Amino acid sequence: MEEEIKCGILQGEVLLKSYYVINAEILEGRLSSPVGMVTDGIRINEFRITTPVSLVKLSTGFKEQIKLYVDLQLCSDDERRILANAKSGTILMQAPDLEVSLQGNKHLLFIGDSGVLQAFPAILALARSGGQVEVYSMHRMGKAALNALRSYVKRMDFPLRSIRGGGDRSIAHILEAQTVGTRIMAFCDWSDYSRIKHIARRIGYSNMEIQGIGIGEKDERVFCARCYQMQHKPHESEIICMQCGIPLVISNHYSPRLEAYMGYVNVN
Amino acid sequence: MFDSNIKVRVAEVAEETPLVRSFKLVPVEGELPRFSAGAHITTYLQTDNKLLERHYSLTGNPKYSDSYRIAVRRSDTSRGGSAFWHSQVKVGDEMEISQPKNHLPLSFEAKHHILIAAGIGITPFMAMMADLKEAGKSFELHYAAASAEYCPFYSFILSHYGKQAHFYFSSEQQRMFTLLMWNQPVGSHVYFCGPEGLITQFKHSAQSYGYPDSSIHFELFTPPVTGPCYPFEVMLTKSKIALHVPEDRSLLDVLLDKGIKAPYSCKIGGCGSCEVEVEEGEVDHRDFFLSEQDKKKRNVMIACVSRAKSKRVSIHL
Amino acid sequence: MDKAALHRMEIKAAPLLERFPFPFQADSYRYSNNSRALVPPVCTDLTPEYFEEIGGKRKLLERYPERTFQAFPHTVEAQWEIMAMLMNELAAVHSDYFKLDKQGVQWTFYNRLLDEKSTFVFGDLSTLPYEPLDFIGRHVQEDLIYLQQRDGDLYMDAGQLCFPANWSLAFDLGMTYLQFHSPVPIYSDSGLAEKVRGFLLRMEAGKPWTRLNWTLNVGPRLDTSPEAFGEWGVGRFGLNLENVGEIMHLRAEDQRLFQIPGSNGVLFSIHTHLLPFDQLINNKTWADRFCKVLEDLPDPIAEYKGFLSYKPLLIEYLKQHI
């Protein structure tokens, strides 16, 4: 669990009421991708923040600068205090475990409630890189999150649209109208991300043209080797098949077609 | 000995243009294997002093394999192959060919196929268009040639694929611009076949227009021109043999001369069959098979075209 | 008496111990690309176990169709091509037992071993009782898997699998080469799987390859599918020095790989052979080599092949009889 990246804090401030943003410069280590997320948190001076941090790399001049974003609503009181006092010093963090590439000429961003924090760095990076961007808010976004997103996007002069009715057809309609060079970025919960991926693949986008950060619990499934019944994957590694009653051991073998993990019959 | 090669007889010879001849090949006995669109065969031509191996795309409809059709352009810079086909080969002649191999298959997931050809580069697309039309798939052809007279398969294409075909005749000042790839619907794949310059130009444009590498397909008929060649030494670490590769020979040539059973197929750096593991030395990559990642991460080289930057390389053979 | 017994022809061959494909070339075994050119280039291999195995296969196909046969619709052309290839081969190489008559597209296939005659129109699915791969698979002992090359990768897009060594076609269908090998330790994470995939993608028609794979079998049961693990998985309890010779079998898979040029894919056939330990020990060289292989085998491989827990017992048995 060694921290690979060391940054020097330049300044920090509250953004749109519920987010905190820190400007820092990279002192040691390097970021392979311009936009990413460190899900386990970061170390600010001697303190540790365990909430996820999203970041964007801004190469300006001699040293590379980055902007780090934290959702204050996910922080404990202690963590909020640490952030408020972080005007100088050192940040240590692991390399981002989730990364977003900025290749492509046009980007469509699909942003849900839970993904606003992760979307900010991408929006900023895309604004600076100068390509065409369209931002879509997923159906039924919370008011606060939607307002924050609206304010941020307005600064970048991108259009922010909502998806009519939120259904698959509306999403397909948007995706079908695009030309080659368009990339899809999703920052939302896993089920929405999965939906968008399916629709996009059906229309003809390759895997490389679709990326995103899925937030929250992933609803994963287990395939019973004996009766082929699909069922919810719990945290435990052993379950009883809900259809045939046989005990199963959940393996790591995943089928992208069935979207499930293999559950082998357990005879022990 | 089990020879996978096929004995064929030339059943027909036709002048497609003043420079291009097409040949219909039928099996001497038995049946020809089926082939997939984009496939080519290697023809083995016995000239006075040596055996020539030349690759030609199969131009027929893959649905039918009672015969194979190829088209050969008489080249001014011929290394003997096309000259032989044009001056020596006639109806009734027998020769050996390889089984079909495909280094330019159609994409399965593409929603729209954009075929871009120049000159004799049209050949693999003839089979592809037959396939695509049969399957009701969406495609367009962009085909550059000197003029209608010097455009192989011009009338065939007009009558079968008139709706999808766009011609660019240089004699009429028509140029095929890379812009034709711009604003194409999502799920479009591009395919290039023609001179190296055309392929390089279109490949770079496609990448800048945002086509992911997996949507860009191409086949070269001749090895890419990649600068002056210098001799180098090679050490085979497994067989403990040291060899010298002169500037006018490839590593693969030298290995085969020595009787080493090195695998190979296209011999122009496109298929990866002759890939060897490099243990020491710096490789001068001149192929178009390995990805940039491969070149950086894996210690391999394509023996038929790549050379050494250092004085020697050690390979695991 | 069933029809097969009445009209049964005999397939004469050497005793099992003489024709068993012993999978070890050295006193040590590791994963590698151990393929070699298949000479002669023949896929099918008929053994005296034909009737038993075909009978067993067909029963499984009737009873568990979803488990034993899977194919994507886009593989139909490839299936016809494979069926044609195998029928031509059977009629040419095993002409005592098989005959193929072609009147244009009207084909008649004769299986003299089972006294079966099938007439159909080549290319017309409505004239066959099963999909082409499923049809021809019912006449050969091999399991048949079709790997389609598409968009730069190899996908398991069709297969008829009755005797798997603990893997599921129903689960693996549609996976890429790397994906369906991901449970195999060392092979999947050492870069070897990528190398072999590259090798398969560059295979050429007319130049087939072959390799031997192996594992251990508790009992003489060929169907060791994950679906039926509840039936065969319990056999490993209650093993001891007295019964291990009879119960344990060395299971060898003779795999043959053919490039299918019309569809641009690879046919991967698996012929499974079982040799009980108490017969294996009659070949002292084999017993000695096998013992050394087991002693030297890394634990993850033994675990994956399912016998880590009783490996010492096996070694003891072999040592006793060398």
Side-chain angles (χ1 to χ4, degrees):
Chain A
M1 273 277 270
E2 1 76 54
E3 275 115 1
E4 301 165 29
I5 299 171
K6 184 173 168 186
C7 311
I9 301 171
L10 298 172
Q11 66 177 92
E13 60 182 359
V14 173
L15 170 72
L16 298 168
K17 283 196 247 177
S18 27
Y19 304 98
Y20 200 81
V21 62
I22 298 175
N23 269 54
E25 62 180 2
I26 300 179
L27 300 172
E28 273 170 37
R30 50 177 299 277
L31 290 169
S32 51
S33 178
V35 175
M37 188 162 109
V38 186
T39 44
D40 286 335
I42 57 174
R43 268 213 283 154
I44 301 181
N45 296 321
E46 329 81 82
F47 306 105
R48 183 145 244 291
I49 303 206
T50 56
T51 43
V53 173
S54 63
L55 53 88
V56 57
K57 180 169 69 171
L58 310 163
S59 293
T60 46
F62 178 52
K63 284 229 176 71
E64 286 195 329
Q65 285 200 20
I66 62 171
K67 262 177 144 63
L68 300 135
Y69 299 80
V70 185
D71 187 344
L72 289 168
Q73 293 172 316
L74 297 175
C75 294
S76 64
D77 287 336
D78 280 339
E79 286 172 332
R80 272 187 227 125
R81 221 174 296 127
I82 294 164
L83 285 167
N85 291 330
K87 301 293 179 196
S88 68
T90 316
I91 289 177
L92 283 168
M93 62 185 181
Q94 287 188 291
D97 44 286
L98 292 169
E99 286 179 333
V100 165
S101 136
L102 298 178
Q103 273 192 353
N105 302 325
K106 180 176 177 190
H107 289 86
L108 302 180
L109 271 58
F110 293 89
I111 303 173
D113 243 2
S114 48
V116 174
L117 175 76
Q118 286 71 22
F120 281 163
I123 294 169
L124 178 60
L126 287 171
R128 289 172 127 254
S129 68
Q132 213 190 329
V133 177
E134 285 171 17
V135 185
Y136 292 89
S137 60
M138 297 301 287
H139 198 50
R140 276 193 288 264
M141 253 186 101
K143 204 155 173 232
L146 185 55
N147 283 336
L149 181 62
R150 188 174 284 135
S151 308
Y152 198 78
V153 169
K154 205 161 169 207
R155 290 185 189 185
M156 312 300 164
D157 207 11
F158 293 151
L160 171 64
R161 303 179 183 134
S162 63
I163 301 171
R164 271 168 93 92
D168 289 5
R169 283 241 248 133
S170 312
I171 296 175
H173 188 70
I174 299 164
L175 296 182
E176 272 160 1
Q178 305 304 318
T179 56
V180 174
T182 307
R183 305 292 165 108
I184 299 167
M185 277 193 202
F187 301 94
C188 50
D189 64 44
W190 282 108
S191 67
D192 278 338
Y193 184 17
S194 179
R195 260 197 322 140
I196 293 169
K197 246 199 276 202
H198 272 145
I199 297 166
R201 290 289 285 146
R202 195 179 33 85
I203 291 170
Y205 290 81
S206 68
N207 280 324
M208 269 187 63
E209 293 163 301
I210 311 163
Q211 57 173 336
I213 293 178
I215 318 287
E217 277 295 309
K218 219 174 173 186
D219 185 22
E220 295 185 304
R221 311 190 304 172
V222 177
F223 176 81
C224 171
R226 183 152 170 263
C227 71
Y228 299 168
Q229 175 66 40
M230 289 294 184
Q231 48 214 291
H232 172 71
K233 178 176 186 266
H235 290 295
E236 295 76 36
S237 60
E238 291 180 20
I239 61 167
I240 306 286
C241 175
M242 65 192 246
Q243 173 158 284
C244 68
I246 208 125
L248 301 173
V249 174
I250 304 173
S251 76
N252 278 332
H253 201 193
Y254 181 75
S255 163
R257 174 181 67 98
L258 298 170
E259 291 180 303
Y261 290 87
M262 175 62 126
Y264 287 96
V265 172
N266 188 359
V267 292
N268 292 321
Chain B
M1 248 314 17
F2 291 96
D3 187 8
S4 62
N5 286 344
I6 308 165
K7 283 196 176 56
V8 295
R9 194 181 68 249
V10 179
E12 265 174 46
V13 179
E15 301 283 334
E16 299 292 335
T17 75
L19 287 177
V20 174
R21 270 196 193 183
S22 66
F23 300 84
K24 178 175 165 178
L25 308 170
V26 295
V28 165
E29 59 177 16
E31 286 172 2
L32 290 170
R34 301 183 75 93
F35 65 97
S36 54
H40 65 275
I41 50 169
T42 306
T43 61
Y44 300 96
L45 311 165
Q46 192 62 56
T47 65
D48 308 313
N49 40 6
K50 54 184 179 168
L51 183 69
L52 300 175
E53 284 182 25
R54 294 293 182 268
H55 313 299
Y56 298 105
S57 300
L58 294 172
T59 61
N61 185 336
K63 203 169 152 185
Y64 309 110
S65 53
D66 49 304
S67 64
Y68 286 165
R69 290 180 173 277
I70 61 173
V72 182
R73 185 192 190 280
R74 193 179 69 231
S75 158
D76 314 309
T77 57
S78 171
R79 295 169 295 144
S82 67
F84 188 87
W85 276 99
H86 277 254
S87 60
Q88 309 279 12
V89 178
K90 47 191 193 313
V91 174
D93 281 357
E94 288 188 6
M95 65 181 66
E96 276 199 5
I97 61 168
S98 72
Q99 302 218 10
K101 317 168 239 206
N102 197 338
H103 299 159
L104 186 66
L106 281 168
S107 161
F108 182 81
E109 61 180 22
K111 299 295 180 208
H112 180 58
H113 305 260
I114 304 165
L115 313 173
I116 297 164
I120 198 62
I122 188 65
T123 46
F125 296 147
M126 296 307 292
M128 285 184 179
M129 290 192 287
D131 221 27
L132 291 167
K133 185 170 178 190
E134 189 88 24
K137 299 215 174 126
S138 168
F139 69 95
E140 55 190 84
L141 170 73
H142 298 267
Y143 185 8
S147 63
E149 193 198 351
Y150 283 83
C151 181
F153 306 113
Y154 175 64
S155 46
F156 185 92
I157 295 171
L158 256 190
S159 58
H160 287 78
Y161 315 114
K163 270 189 272 180
Q164 294 94 341
H166 307 262
F167 297 92
Y168 307 83
F169 297 135
S170 53
S171 62
E172 293 169 34
Q173 279 75 52
Q174 293 165 336
R175 279 190 57 201
M176 190 166 69
F177 291 105
T178 60
L179 213 54
L180 69 89
M181 298 185 292
W182 178 252
N183 257 5
Q184 292 281 2
V186 138
S188 295
H189 281 228
V190 288
Y191 304 76
F192 316 129
C193 193
E196 191 196 344
L198 172 113
I199 292 181
T200 312
Q201 183 200 12
F202 273 77
K203 182 166 156 230
H204 285 145
S205 291
Q207 284 166 335
S208 73
Y209 296 160
Y211 285 83
D213 284 342
S214 54
S215 301
I216 303 172
H217 317 273
F218 57 91
E219 184 165 56
L220 274 171
F221 287 158
T222 50
V225 172
T226 44
C229 298
Y230 302 107
F232 62 99
E233 305 301 313
V234 63
M235 178 66 183
L236 277 59
T237 55
K238 255 170 73 178
S239 4
K240 306 258 195 302
I241 305 174
L243 293 170
H244 172 77
V245 181
E247 60 196 23
D248 61 338
R249 310 274 284 145
S250 72
L251 168 58
L252 179 67
D253 286 337
V254 169
L255 291 172
L256 294 174
D257 279 351
K258 196 73 187 166
I260 294 168
K261 284 200 175 70
Y264 69 90
S265 185
C266 75
K267 277 192 171 172
I268 59 171
C271 72
S273 305
C274 63
E275 182 183 286
V276 291
E277 272 177 58
V278 175
E279 292 177 6
E280 260 187 278
E282 217 194 322
V283 182
D284 175 9
H285 294 285
R286 295 174 177 226
D287 65 288
F288 53 100
F289 172 77
L290 297 170
S291 66
E292 285 315 308
Q293 268 225 19
D294 282 336
K295 289 179 191 172
K296 271 189 227 144
K297 281 199 184 159
R298 301 173 55 216
N299 300 321
V300 291
M301 70 184 279
I302 302 298
C304 64
V305 289
S306 295
R307 307 186 71 79
K309 282 196 187 139
S310 46
K311 280 242 153 57
R312 27 175 296 179
V313 277
S314 300
I315 62 175
H316 188 72
L317 252 191
Chain C
M1 265 249 268
D2 61 329
K3 209 162 163 213
L6 277 174
H7 299 275
R8 186 164 299 186
M9 295 172 77
E10 237 190 80
I11 298 177
K12 288 199 169 60
L16 178 61
L17 190 62
E18 283 172 46
R19 55 184 164 84
F20 183 81
F22 189 66
F24 306 113
Q25 304 298 317
D27 290 341
S28 159
Y29 178 84
R30 297 290 184 280
Y31 288 124
S32 66
N33 182 10
N34 56 338
S35 316
R36 50 195 169 79
L38 175 64
V39 175
V42 171
C43 180
T44 56
D45 172 33
L46 300 183
T47 69
E49 292 84 8
Y50 181 87
F51 303 97
E52 199 189 313
E53 289 179 12
I54 296 294
K57 229 200 213 206
R58 291 184 179 194
K59 268 208 203 85
L60 288 164
L61 285 160
E62 287 314 309
R63 234 162 142 206
Y64 308 110
E66 206 186 340
R67 181 208 296 185
T68 51
F69 182 75
Q70 295 272 352
F72 287 132
H74 67 255
T75 62
V76 167
E77 285 307 311
Q79 290 189 49
W80 282 113
E81 199 179 346
I82 292 169
M83 191 190 85
M85 175 193 131
L86 292 175
M87 282 188 176
N88 282 322
E89 181 184 291
L90 288 168
V93 175
H94 309 286
S95 49
D96 285 346
Y97 309 131
F98 297 93
K99 186 152 124 62
L100 181 61
D101 270 336
K102 296 184 202 176
Q103 306 286 327
V105 290
Q106 180 95 330
W107 289 24
T108 307
F109 177 67
Y110 300 87
N111 179 338
R112 293 210 172 93
L113 291 164
L114 302 173
D115 192 26
E116 286 177 6
K117 172 176 141 181
S118 316
T119 306
F120 54 92
V121 175
F122 187 84
D124 187 345
L125 276 177
S126 67
T127 62
L128 268 185
Y130 311 103
E131 286 185 59
L133 187 67
D134 193 4
F135 179 82
I136 192 58
R138 289 162 192 255
H139 291 272
V140 300
Q141 290 164 265
E142 287 76 11
D143 280 317
L144 304 170
I145 306 294
Y146 176 64
L147 306 178
Q148 172 71 62
Q149 180 168 10
R150 48 183 170 96
D151 290 293
D153 210 336
L154 271 173
Y155 291 80
M156 187 183 295
D157 278 0
Q160 190 197 62
L161 182 71
C162 298
F163 308 133
N166 204 23
W167 62 278
S168 165
L169 175 63
F171 186 71
D172 283 9
L173 187 75
M175 284 192 194
T176 66
Y177 186 82
L178 293 183
Q179 286 166 352
F180 62 79
H181 279 97
S182 65
V184 186
I186 301 168
Y187 187 74
S188 59
D189 47 34
S190 61
L192 183 57
E194 277 94 340
K195 264 212 200 123
V196 176
R197 179 188 58 182
F199 167 78
L200 293 173
L201 285 169
R202 295 191 288 269
M203 271 187 68
E204 291 182 359
K207 296 181 183 161
W209 293 82
T210 181
R211 62 180 291 268
L212 289 174
N213 195 19
W214 69 276
T215 186
L216 296 187
N217 226 49
V218 177
R221 188 187 156 115
L222 278 170
D223 166 19
T224 50
S225 58
E227 288 86 346
F229 187 66
E231 294 160 36
W232 58 270
V234 292
R236 62 197 163 119
F237 304 120
L239 282 173
N240 54 55
L241 274 176
E242 282 68 50
N243 62 23
V244 75
E246 192 194 323
I247 294 179
M248 285 309 296
H249 291 67
L250 176 58
R251 182 183 178 116
E253 287 182 354
D254 178 352
Q255 300 176 349
R256 301 189 186 186
L257 303 146
F258 285 74
Q259 211 268 349
I260 306 297
S263 328
N264 206 25
V266 176
L267 171 68
F268 171 56
S269 74
I270 309 170
H271 191 144
T272 306
H273 304 261
L274 293 173
L275 180 68
F277 274 33
D278 60 8
Q279 274 194 53
L280 189 154
I281 50 172
N282 291 327
N283 182 326
K284 298 299 172 203
T285 319
W286 282 7
D288 182 56
R289 167 151 286 176
F290 185 33
C291 186
K292 292 198 170 92
V293 163
L294 287 179
E295 285 177 311
D296 176 75
L297 197 69
D299 280 358
I301 299 182
E303 162 122 57
Y304 173 69
K305 291 187 187 286
F307 60 82
L308 180 60
S309 54
Y310 48 90
K311 197 172 91 159
L313 174 66
L314 305 176
I315 292 172
E316 203 189 325
Y317 173 82
L318 291 169
K319 280 204 152 99
Q320 267 189 15
H321 291 94
I322 291 175

